[in-house]
Amino acid sequence: MIPDNIFRSLAIQTESKLILIVMDGIGGLPVRGKTELEAAKTPNLDRLAYQSICGLIDPISYGITPGSGPSHLALFGYDPFRFEIGRGVMEALGIGLKLTEEDLTARGNFATIDENEIIVDRRAGRISTEKNQEICQFLQNEIREVDGIRVSIYPGKEHRFVIVFQGEGLKDNLIDADPQKDGKKAKGTESLTAEAQRTAEIVNAYLKKATEALKLFHPANTILLRGFSKIPNIPSMFERFKLKPAAIATYPMYRGLARLVGMDVLETGETLRDEVETLKNNFNRYDFFYIHFKKTDSAGEDGDFKKKVKAIEEIDRILPSILKLKPDVLVVTGDHSTPAVLKSHSWHPNPILLHSKYIRPDRIRRFTERQCQKGQLGRFPAVEIIPLMLANGLKLKKFGA
Ligand code: ZN
């Protein structure tokens, strides 16, 4: 990983255009001998791989299964161990909230306590989403602020919600206000540092008020909060890499992650075609594009091998319309593997191809995990992709005299 100050001194702005295509959860595992990529018919990706340099990337590090947050930060060129994104923030981004440095976020549950404040059900009998919305609305009207700190509550599914405390001086060094187990007392939060003391008091004052207000809503008669977090202080892609970046993604979480590193998030439609159309329409306005395709991951999470194969083929079919734009540097890869056999994210490395004018192509026949492994890029951490893209776009000066 190149240190921040070196990046800042080497990066230059040029006219060249870079595109990073992320097929979410692309890496797979074999079923009857073939991975999803190997089973898919991908003539366009294969042709491109033939003209590119290829390899395998580890999303974070050997053996680490990443969530979407850290794996995307790495793809954007940020060390995911240095810039951690808390659970509250991820959840808030997932529902499309635009967070500022003043916001303290947390994930929440409605829960049931008895008369001695012992938690008897951490999920409040899994109340319906409609009921959740109704209670959140009620709480929002009932408690708008605590000690000058604004409080906003956003319903999620069933008993879950996201809460945002907004005001000056809030800190996130707090322990979960959630004992994680039934049969324990709901005790509120505690500060882990002296400077977070006031924040802990505000959160606990809110919890007390909320529990009082919720008396009528049994079984949802209290709330539990966890994953207190603020957005990390991240230098923008412009500050660091002198890039003018834009993001094209349909899901709120990826749009939010892109915003965290200073990308302009473009409005786009639901389909792959819509996303490519958005790319075309904005191609003159930026010099870096992150384009995200979600379907591969969703199919993997469903454990649906065939559906993932189809999603890959669908991406393959729209690839020519991206190539027509003639980007100076094009990278196709994934943020992590989501093998259908595991029905979840995994630690396996992902194939990557990089195409530009200034390469010695590997002449690899297929864009698959096992073929890309033979390429000259070898196996490397995802966080090194951006420097490679910048270099191929002639956007990095010489290091040293
Ligand atoms: Zn992902």
Side-chain angles (χ1 to χ4, degrees), residues 22-26 66-69 71-72 253-254 292-294 297 301 334-338 345:
V22 177
M23 301 194 274
D24 204 305
I26 187 64
S68 299
S71 64
H72 268 78
M253 184 185 292
Y254 309 98
H292 178 252
F293 297 130
K294 176 70 180 169
D297 178 60
E301 294 260 6
D335 54 342
H336 50 77
S337 295
T338 308
H345 293 192

Side-chain angles (χ1 to χ4, degrees), residues 102 167-171 195 198-199 230:
E102 291 206 324
E168 248 172 69
L170 295 174
K171 305 288 177 204
E195 54 172 12
R198 180 174 163 256
T199 310
K230 299 183 71 170

